[in-house]
PDB file of all heavy atoms in Angstrom:
ATOM      1  N   VAL A  17      15.262   0.354  -8.640  1.00  0.00           N
ATOM      2  CA  VAL A  17      14.184  -0.508  -8.120  1.00  0.00           C
ATOM      3  C   VAL A  17      12.824   0.101  -8.506  1.00  0.00           C
ATOM      4  O   VAL A  17      11.916  -0.620  -8.983  1.00  0.00           O
ATOM      5  CB  VAL A  17      14.282  -0.695  -6.608  1.00  0.00           C
ATOM      6  CG1 VAL A  17      13.014  -1.301  -6.010  1.00  0.00           C
ATOM      7  CG2 VAL A  17      15.510  -1.566  -6.250  1.00  0.00           C
ATOM      8  N   GLU A  18      12.682   1.395  -8.353  1.00  0.00           N
ATOM      9  CA  GLU A  18      11.451   2.086  -8.730  1.00  0.00           C
ATOM     10  C   GLU A  18      11.173   1.917 -10.239  1.00  0.00           C
ATOM     11  O   GLU A  18      10.038   1.657 -10.627  1.00  0.00           O
ATOM     12  CB  GLU A  18      11.509   3.553  -8.364  1.00  0.00           C
ATOM     13  CG  GLU A  18      10.279   4.339  -8.718  1.00  0.00           C
ATOM     14  CD  GLU A  18      10.401   5.818  -8.434  1.00  0.00           C
ATOM     15  OE1 GLU A  18      11.423   6.273  -7.905  1.00  0.00           O
ATOM     16  OE2 GLU A  18       9.400   6.531  -8.746  1.00  0.00           O
ATOM     17  N   LYS A  19      12.195   2.091 -11.068  1.00  0.00           N
ATOM     18  CA  LYS A  19      12.000   1.982 -12.518  1.00  0.00           C
ATOM     19  C   LYS A  19      11.532   0.566 -12.897  1.00  0.00           C
ATOM     20  O   LYS A  19      10.658   0.408 -13.748  1.00  0.00           O
ATOM     21  CB  LYS A  19      13.312   2.302 -13.219  1.00  0.00           C
ATOM     22  CG  LYS A  19      13.194   2.583 -14.690  1.00  0.00           C
ATOM     23  CD  LYS A  19      12.536   3.916 -14.912  1.00  0.00           C
ATOM     24  CE  LYS A  19      12.858   4.480 -16.314  1.00  0.00           C
ATOM     25  NZ  LYS A  19      12.187   5.789 -16.501  1.00  0.00           N
ATOM     26  N   VAL A  20      12.095  -0.439 -12.247  1.00  0.00           N
ATOM     27  CA  VAL A  20      11.698  -1.815 -12.516  1.00  0.00           C
ATOM     28  C   VAL A  20      10.254  -2.049 -12.119  1.00  0.00           C
ATOM     29  O   VAL A  20       9.470  -2.659 -12.883  1.00  0.00           O
ATOM     30  CB  VAL A  20      12.672  -2.820 -11.784  1.00  0.00           C
ATOM     31  CG1 VAL A  20      12.123  -4.252 -11.883  1.00  0.00           C
ATOM     32  CG2 VAL A  20      14.059  -2.715 -12.362  1.00  0.00           C
ATOM     33  N   ARG A  21       9.858  -1.558 -10.998  1.00  0.00           N
ATOM     34  CA  ARG A  21       8.457  -1.731 -10.553  1.00  0.00           C
ATOM     35  C   ARG A  21       7.475  -1.004 -11.459  1.00  0.00           C
ATOM     36  O   ARG A  21       6.415  -1.479 -11.796  1.00  0.00           O
ATOM     37  CB  ARG A  21       8.283  -1.288  -9.078  1.00  0.00           C
ATOM     38  CG  ARG A  21       6.860  -1.496  -8.550  1.00  0.00           C
ATOM     39  CD  ARG A  21       6.426  -2.984  -8.643  1.00  0.00           C
ATOM     40  NE  ARG A  21       5.022  -3.138  -8.423  1.00  0.00           N
ATOM     41  CZ  ARG A  21       4.491  -3.821  -7.400  1.00  0.00           C
ATOM     42  NH1 ARG A  21       5.217  -4.392  -6.517  1.00  0.00           N
ATOM     43  NH2 ARG A  21       3.162  -3.950  -7.299  1.00  0.00           N
ATOM     44  N   LEU A  22       7.868   0.186 -11.892  1.00  0.00           N
ATOM     45  CA  LEU A  22       7.004   0.922 -12.827  1.00  0.00           C
ATOM     46  C   LEU A  22       6.842   0.151 -14.135  1.00  0.00           C
ATOM     47  O   LEU A  22       5.734   0.107 -14.728  1.00  0.00           O
ATOM     48  CB  LEU A  22       7.551   2.318 -13.097  1.00  0.00           C
ATOM     49  CG  LEU A  22       7.446   3.300 -11.907  1.00  0.00           C
ATOM     50  CD1 LEU A  22       8.273   4.560 -12.180  1.00  0.00           C
ATOM     51  CD2 LEU A  22       5.997   3.651 -11.635  1.00  0.00           C
ATOM     52  N   ALA A  23       7.913  -0.459 -14.611  1.00  0.00           N
ATOM     53  CA  ALA A  23       7.827  -1.269 -15.829  1.00  0.00           C
ATOM     54  C   ALA A  23       6.939  -2.467 -15.597  1.00  0.00           C
ATOM     55  O   ALA A  23       6.054  -2.785 -16.437  1.00  0.00           O
ATOM     56  CB  ALA A  23       9.247  -1.708 -16.261  1.00  0.00           C
ATOM     57  N   GLU A  24       7.119  -3.157 -14.475  1.00  0.00           N
ATOM     58  CA  GLU A  24       6.238  -4.281 -14.152  1.00  0.00           C
ATOM     59  C   GLU A  24       4.758  -3.863 -14.134  1.00  0.00           C
ATOM     60  O   GLU A  24       3.905  -4.525 -14.716  1.00  0.00           O
ATOM     61  CB  GLU A  24       6.632  -4.847 -12.811  1.00  0.00           C
ATOM     62  CG  GLU A  24       5.719  -5.993 -12.322  1.00  0.00           C
ATOM     63  CD  GLU A  24       5.993  -6.431 -10.929  1.00  0.00           C
ATOM     64  OE1 GLU A  24       7.176  -6.657 -10.557  1.00  0.00           O
ATOM     65  OE2 GLU A  24       5.005  -6.565 -10.156  1.00  0.00           O
ATOM     66  N   ASP A  25       4.498  -2.751 -13.455  1.00  0.00           N
ATOM     67  CA  ASP A  25       3.087  -2.275 -13.362  1.00  0.00           C
ATOM     68  C   ASP A  25       2.524  -1.989 -14.768  1.00  0.00           C
ATOM     69  O   ASP A  25       1.408  -2.328 -15.075  1.00  0.00           O
ATOM     70  CB  ASP A  25       3.010  -1.011 -12.541  1.00  0.00           C
ATOM     71  CG  ASP A  25       3.322  -1.250 -11.058  1.00  0.00           C
ATOM     72  OD1 ASP A  25       3.357  -2.402 -10.653  1.00  0.00           O
ATOM     73  OD2 ASP A  25       3.505  -0.244 -10.353  1.00  0.00           O
ATOM     74  N   GLY A  26       3.344  -1.363 -15.614  1.00  0.00           N
ATOM     75  CA  GLY A  26       2.874  -1.057 -16.979  1.00  0.00           C
ATOM     76  C   GLY A  26       2.540  -2.343 -17.729  1.00  0.00           C
ATOM     77  O   GLY A  26       1.481  -2.472 -18.315  1.00  0.00           O
ATOM     78  N   TRP A  27       3.452  -3.315 -17.720  1.00  0.00           N
ATOM     79  CA  TRP A  27       3.222  -4.559 -18.428  1.00  0.00           C
ATOM     80  C   TRP A  27       2.008  -5.309 -17.874  1.00  0.00           C
ATOM     81  O   TRP A  27       1.271  -5.934 -18.617  1.00  0.00           O
ATOM     82  CB  TRP A  27       4.505  -5.409 -18.454  1.00  0.00           C
ATOM     83  CG  TRP A  27       5.480  -4.937 -19.455  1.00  0.00           C
ATOM     84  CD1 TRP A  27       6.162  -3.747 -19.469  1.00  0.00           C
ATOM     85  CD2 TRP A  27       5.933  -5.627 -20.599  1.00  0.00           C
ATOM     86  NE1 TRP A  27       6.974  -3.659 -20.559  1.00  0.00           N
ATOM     87  CE2 TRP A  27       6.865  -4.820 -21.258  1.00  0.00           C
ATOM     88  CE3 TRP A  27       5.602  -6.905 -21.119  1.00  0.00           C
ATOM     89  CZ2 TRP A  27       7.492  -5.230 -22.451  1.00  0.00           C
ATOM     90  CZ3 TRP A  27       6.266  -7.268 -22.311  1.00  0.00           C
ATOM     91  CH2 TRP A  27       7.170  -6.449 -22.949  1.00  0.00           C
ATOM     92  N   ASN A  28       1.842  -5.271 -16.548  1.00  0.00           N
ATOM     93  CA  ASN A  28       0.660  -5.949 -15.969  1.00  0.00           C
ATOM     94  C   ASN A  28      -0.634  -5.267 -16.304  1.00  0.00           C
ATOM     95  O   ASN A  28      -1.713  -5.893 -16.195  1.00  0.00           O
ATOM     96  CB  ASN A  28       0.857  -6.094 -14.437  1.00  0.00           C
ATOM     97  CG  ASN A  28       1.638  -7.284 -14.076  1.00  0.00           C
ATOM     98  OD1 ASN A  28       1.613  -8.335 -14.741  1.00  0.00           O
ATOM     99  ND2 ASN A  28       2.389  -7.176 -12.972  1.00  0.00           N
ATOM    100  N   SER A  29      -0.595  -4.068 -16.835  1.00  0.00           N
ATOM    101  CA  SER A  29      -1.827  -3.411 -17.304  1.00  0.00           C
ATOM    102  C   SER A  29      -2.307  -4.059 -18.602  1.00  0.00           C
ATOM    103  O   SER A  29      -3.485  -3.972 -18.945  1.00  0.00           O
ATOM    104  CB  SER A  29      -1.590  -1.921 -17.578  1.00  0.00           C
ATOM    105  OG  SER A  29      -0.893  -1.693 -18.772  1.00  0.00           O
ATOM    106  N   ARG A  30      -1.414  -4.670 -19.316  1.00  0.00           N
ATOM    107  CA  ARG A  30      -1.681  -5.311 -20.621  1.00  0.00           C
ATOM    108  C   ARG A  30      -2.327  -4.308 -21.577  1.00  0.00           C
ATOM    109  O   ARG A  30      -3.196  -4.647 -22.414  1.00  0.00           O
ATOM    110  CB  ARG A  30      -2.550  -6.576 -20.435  1.00  0.00           C
ATOM    111  CG  ARG A  30      -1.799  -7.635 -19.663  1.00  0.00           C
ATOM    112  CD  ARG A  30      -2.626  -8.891 -19.350  1.00  0.00           C
ATOM    113  NE  ARG A  30      -4.042  -8.826 -19.426  1.00  0.00           N
ATOM    114  CZ  ARG A  30      -4.870  -8.456 -18.433  1.00  0.00           C
ATOM    115  NH1 ARG A  30      -4.374  -8.135 -17.262  1.00  0.00           N
ATOM    116  NH2 ARG A  30      -6.174  -8.444 -18.633  1.00  0.00           N
TER     117      ARG A  30
END
Side-chain angles (χ1 to χ4, degrees):
V17 167
E18 179 183 359
K19 196 72 157 178
V20 171
R21 182 58 193 244
L22 289 169
E24 175 188 312
D25 292 348
W27 282 65
N28 276 327
S29 77
R30 296 176 341 272

